Amino acid sequence: MPFQLSDGKENSHNTNEEKIYDVFYPKYKLSDLIVSEECLNQLNSLLSRIRYHDLVYVHWNLSSVLPDQQSILANFYGDSGTGKTMAAHAIANALQMPLLIVNYAEIESKYVGETPKNLVRLFQFASESHAVILFDEADALLSRRVTDMHSAADVSVNQTRSVLLTQLEKYKGIILFTTNFIANYDSAFMRRITLHINFTLPNVMLRQKIWEKYIPSQMPAKIDFKAIADGYEGISGADIANAVVSAAFAAATEKRDIIPQEYFERAISDIIVAKQCNRSTIASMKTRTVDANYVYQQIGTKERGSSHAIY
């Protein structure tokens, strides 16, 4: 490969010597995922589209009647902590390809015109590296374009979206997106995505498997996996992992020889309460008007204009 990785990853280089993305060895395999059967089937379907592309489009001559899909675009959407990023690692692992992870904040520039240039460099580097591209929290980049433009910042946002659409059309490779907010996607991006895979919160059977996975045999835990899986709904795999860590450190701090079930229950209950408070706060927020000068000051531009409503 045209690049070397050390200690699991190496920051990419670009002409400005600034980090705009990271290249990783994939950390997970498909067998590491605890997701619904439907989700797993869709992930295998995605792999089939990649592995059998030449058979279908070239040898079976599908390209004679339908456009050859040179790129594969897949979107992983669903609640936070349900395994979307882990699945992206697993896909890259199955294909024996490195994973190039992009966060919008890392390619965005406060200088007008730089973000589109960063995108072009990103796709060029990914092509040279034969890497799977992952746009994490992609709704920030794939959101709806501004139709009522009042500033250079608005123009820049639309320019970035246009450049991205062009790059997606030209790119020959695999691109994955993850989001908790698929409703924010622009329809132009939705049309270009080959496959949408929904990552749902685990049911009781999957929750039990996740609890069992995250409590190793060496951990002195006294826990009824079935009972705790059945007793706490609406939680993600990440919630369970965080609860295990909290319970373990609480017991270690108190010098307990055994971690009782109540420690795990207390930890997951705290997480559930925090999530409920978060949802309630968001739902009760009112629209408020702020001065545009303040907004532009925060995003690093000098544009001036009328007040903007924010949520």
Side-chain angles (χ1 to χ4, degrees):
M1 289 184 179
F3 60 89
Q4 296 295 320
L5 302 179
S6 59
D7 299 325
K9 73 175 184 178
E10 178 185 277
N11 289 337
S12 72
H13 60 275
N14 60 52
T15 54
N16 292 330
E17 299 298 328
E18 296 175 347
K19 179 177 73 71
I20 60 173
Y21 38 77
D22 292 311
V23 181
F24 288 80
Y25 284 126
K27 298 178 181 179
Y28 306 104
K29 300 178 291 186
L30 282 174
S31 58
D32 295 323
L33 297 178
I34 301 178
V35 294
S36 69
E37 184 177 355
E38 180 181 2
C39 181
L40 188 58
N41 288 340
Q42 287 183 301
L43 290 171
N44 281 314
S45 176
L46 171 60
L47 287 172
S48 294
R49 292 185 184 219
I50 298 166
R51 289 168 172 161
Y52 301 117
H53 172 273
D54 287 350
L55 173 65
V56 172
Y57 278 97
V58 179
H59 298 289
W60 291 357
N61 202 28
L62 184 62
S63 60
S64 65
V65 292
L66 290 174
D68 188 348
Q69 297 179 336
Q70 295 290 328
S71 61
I72 299 292
L73 279 64
N75 180 46
F76 301 165
Y77 70 99
D79 287 325
S80 178
T82 50
K84 299 183 294 293
T85 302
M86 182 182 289
H89 277 266
I91 291 296
N93 192 316
L95 298 171
Q96 297 185 318
M97 298 172 67
L99 185 65
L100 190 156
I101 300 181
V102 187
N103 190 295
Y104 182 62
E106 295 176 340
I107 61 172
E108 186 183 30
S109 174
K110 67 181 180 180
Y111 303 106
V112 175
E114 283 300 308
T115 302
K117 293 177 183 177
N118 287 340
L119 278 172
V120 172
R121 286 196 290 265
L122 159 70
F123 280 95
Q124 180 179 355
F125 182 80
S127 180
E128 294 170 352
S129 306
H130 304 288
V132 175
I133 301 176
L134 169 61
F135 286 96
D136 205 15
E137 299 181 3
D139 47 281
L141 189 57
L142 273 59
S143 59
R144 294 180 175 86
R145 284 163 290 183
V146 180
T147 56
D148 188 16
M149 293 183 290
H150 296 288
S151 68
D154 294 337
V155 173
S156 180
V157 167
N158 282 357
Q159 181 185 20
T160 297
R161 303 293 186 273
S162 297
V163 169
L164 179 57
L165 284 169
T166 300
Q167 292 300 311
L168 294 179
E169 292 285 354
K170 293 167 51 180
Y171 187 68
K172 297 180 180 180
I174 305 158
I175 306 170
L176 306 178
F177 306 96
T178 69
T179 182
N180 304 340
F181 306 103
I182 190 173
N184 292 349
Y185 278 13
D186 188 285
S187 59
F189 293 112
M190 291 290 288
R191 288 194 301 270
R192 286 165 173 78
I193 294 174
T194 309
L195 190 63
H196 295 275
I197 302 178
N198 187 12
F199 286 72
T200 58
L201 291 172
N203 59 23
V204 62
M205 181 184 68
L206 294 178
R207 290 198 299 271
Q208 181 172 338
K209 289 183 178 180
I210 296 170
W211 280 108
E212 291 171 349
K213 175 180 179 178
Y214 287 132
I215 299 181
S217 58
Q218 297 89 340
M219 183 179 288
K222 185 177 181 181
I223 181 171
D224 184 334
F225 290 110
K226 186 177 185 304
I228 198 169
D230 189 55
Y232 297 89
E233 300 179 349
I235 58 175
S236 68
D239 294 332
I240 294 173
N242 290 334
V244 170
V245 171
S246 296
F249 275 103
T253 301
E254 297 175 11
K255 297 180 171 54
R256 299 291 297 256
D257 294 329
I258 295 177
I259 312 172
Q261 175 139 339
E262 64 188 79
Y263 279 46
F264 297 102
E265 292 184 346
R266 184 171 62 200
I268 196 64
S269 294
D270 289 344
I271 290 171
I272 291 172
V273 169
K275 292 176 69 172
Q276 290 173 340
C277 288
N278 176 258
R279 286 193 292 266
S280 298
T281 301
I282 292 173
S284 63
M285 287 179 66
K286 303 295 184 181
T287 302
R288 59 191 177 94
T289 302
V290 297
D291 184 78
N293 291 344
Y294 171 80
V295 174
Y296 288 119
Q297 181 183 19
Q298 298 308 303
I299 64 175
T301 69
K302 295 182 178 180
E303 289 294 323
R304 298 293 186 266
S306 59
S307 296
H308 288 252
I310 65 174
Y311 301 84

